[in-house]
Amino acid sequence: MPTPVIEICSLCKTYRIGELTVEALRSVDLTIQSSEFLAIMGASGSGKSTLMNVLGCLDRPTSGGYNLDGNDVGTLDRDALARIRGRKIGFVFQGFNLLSRMTALENVELPMLYDEVPSAVRKERSLEALRTVGLEDRSHHLPSQLSGGQQQRVAIARAIVNNPSLLLADEPTGNLDTATSVEVMGVVQRLNDERGITIVLVTHETDISEFARRVVTMRDGKILTDHPVDNRRIAGAGVTSR
Ligand code: ADP
Ligand code: MG
């Protein structure tokens, strides 16, 4: 029996701004097993990022259940949520979110600063993560000295440096051209295939969703369809340093 990493049940999220209420998620049920690679698609405003924020323990649901790796997230306080986030979850965003005055290596070290990891161990783990994304030779470059695809790979290295079981990526190829997008998806596929990291990827591009193993589509805060990918695209092993 595969183990579910994520089990959400009747999940609702309502935003209130003054008089206005927005039902961003309306009773979503979703189970994701360990080592799955799920893509979430849907029009702008359909609730994809809201769902990712809840999955990533960045935001709490208004109602409904969320179980992450056996923890009932709804009952946890802010500190406990932050601990789970730090230990189990890596995040990748459209805009890379690297600190511009820090080198690639220093950016990758950031998630370990809170855990009092000795600096030599931090450096070693960060170099290992950069090696995983094919950028060991760029460790002393600043983000401005790297291409968009390389910056996103540094962001992926930062996301995996604490060995998370779950990687959440919200439109990670949204700022990248087609060839570079494939390169980044190759890194994500390898993390899934070789390390068994569970991946949840938001994208609005069908081409990109076909790198996943399963695709969920959303509309108006609900899940509309949920099916396996038939002709899965494989990005190939070639991690280059263009
Ligand atoms: P998507 O990522 O699919 O584009 P979102 O999850 O960002 O969609 O948004 C879903 C709905 O919730 C939209 O109508 C959006 O305007 C609203 N929404 C998202 N975040 C907030 C927020 N922090 N405050 C108020 N409304 C929000
Ligand atoms: Mg979004």
Side-chain angles (χ1 to χ4, degrees), residues 46-121:
S46 57
K48 305 181 299 294
S49 292
T50 303
L51 180 60
M52 290 292 262
N53 289 342
V54 173
L55 291 179
C57 302
L58 293 166
D59 202 357
R60 289 161 170 287
T62 308
S63 65
Y66 174 25
N67 202 291
L68 172 65
D69 249 353
N71 299 283
D72 180 356
V73 172
T75 64
L76 301 176
D77 62 21
R78 285 177 82 93
D79 288 348
L81 283 181
R83 271 198 300 279
I84 288 207
R85 232 177 15 240
R87 261 186 301 138
K88 294 184 187 288
I89 308 176
F91 295 91
V92 179
F93 302 98
Q94 179 171 355
F96 320 140
N97 298 7
L98 300 176
L99 297 185
S100 60
R101 288 167 185 275
M102 288 191 172
T103 64
L105 186 72
E106 289 164 342
N107 269 283
V108 176
E109 285 184 30
L110 281 174
M112 286 181 287
L113 290 181
Y114 306 102
D115 294 337
E116 294 174 20
V117 180
S119 72
V121 177

Side-chain angles (χ1 to χ4, degrees), residues 1-241:
M1 276 283 286
T3 29
V5 176
I6 287 171
E7 268 184 304
I8 66 176
C9 181
S10 308
L11 193 93
C12 297
K13 178 73 191 181
T14 306
Y15 292 109
R16 289 206 173 74
I17 309 167
E19 303 279 276
L20 187 73
T21 56
V22 179
E23 292 183 64
L25 296 175
R26 307 171 194 232
S27 196
V28 172
D29 296 309
L30 182 66
T31 301
I32 304 173
Q33 310 291 342
S34 179
S35 301
E36 273 205 87
F37 185 164
L38 179 84
I40 300 178
M41 297 196 71
S44 178
S46 57
K48 305 181 299 294
S49 292
T50 303
L51 180 60
M52 290 292 262
N53 289 342
V54 173
L55 291 179
C57 302
L58 293 166
D59 202 357
R60 289 161 170 287
T62 308
S63 65
Y66 174 25
N67 202 291
L68 172 65
D69 249 353
N71 299 283
D72 180 356
V73 172
T75 64
L76 301 176
D77 62 21
R78 285 177 82 93
D79 288 348
L81 283 181
R83 271 198 300 279
I84 288 207
R85 232 177 15 240
R87 261 186 301 138
K88 294 184 187 288
I89 308 176
F91 295 91
V92 179
F93 302 98
Q94 179 171 355
F96 320 140
N97 298 7
L98 300 176
L99 297 185
S100 60
R101 288 167 185 275
M102 288 191 172
T103 64
L105 186 72
E106 289 164 342
N107 269 283
V108 176
E109 285 184 30
L110 281 174
M112 286 181 287
L113 290 181
Y114 306 102
D115 294 337
E116 294 174 20
V117 180
S119 72
V121 177
R122 265 202 325 259
K123 191 170 172 199
E124 192 183 319
R125 279 201 214 155
S126 301
L127 279 172
E128 178 58 38
L130 283 170
R131 199 174 300 137
T132 301
V133 301
L135 285 179
E136 197 192 7
D137 59 345
R138 298 293 198 278
S139 61
H140 296 295
H141 286 55
L142 294 170
S144 60
Q145 297 167 325
L146 297 170
S147 69
Q150 289 172 337
Q151 289 182 59
Q152 192 58 299
R153 278 150 59 196
V154 172
I156 292 173
R158 181 182 56 189
I160 61 166
V161 77
N162 279 339
N163 279 318
S165 48
L166 174 63
L167 183 70
L168 300 177
D170 196 346
E171 305 265 10
T173 61
N175 286 353
L176 303 175
D177 62 47
T178 307
T180 312
S181 296
V182 172
E183 182 184 302
V184 165
M185 292 314 298
V187 173
V188 175
Q189 275 187 329
R190 276 200 301 124
L191 293 173
N192 180 246
D193 289 341
E194 294 172 16
R195 300 213 181 169
I197 299 179
T198 309
I199 313 279
V200 182
L201 162 89
V202 164
T203 181
H204 61 260
E205 293 165 279
T206 308
D207 283 6
I208 296 297
S209 74
E210 288 167 349
F211 288 105
R213 298 172 192 272
R214 173 183 169 196
V215 178
V216 160
T217 59
M218 296 186 68
R219 183 191 287 170
D220 299 334
K222 289 183 177 166
I223 289 179
L224 197 65
T225 65
D226 182 348
H227 58 80
V229 176
D230 287 335
N231 287 309
R232 190 179 182 218
R233 293 178 72 192
I234 304 294
V239 177
T240 55
S241 292

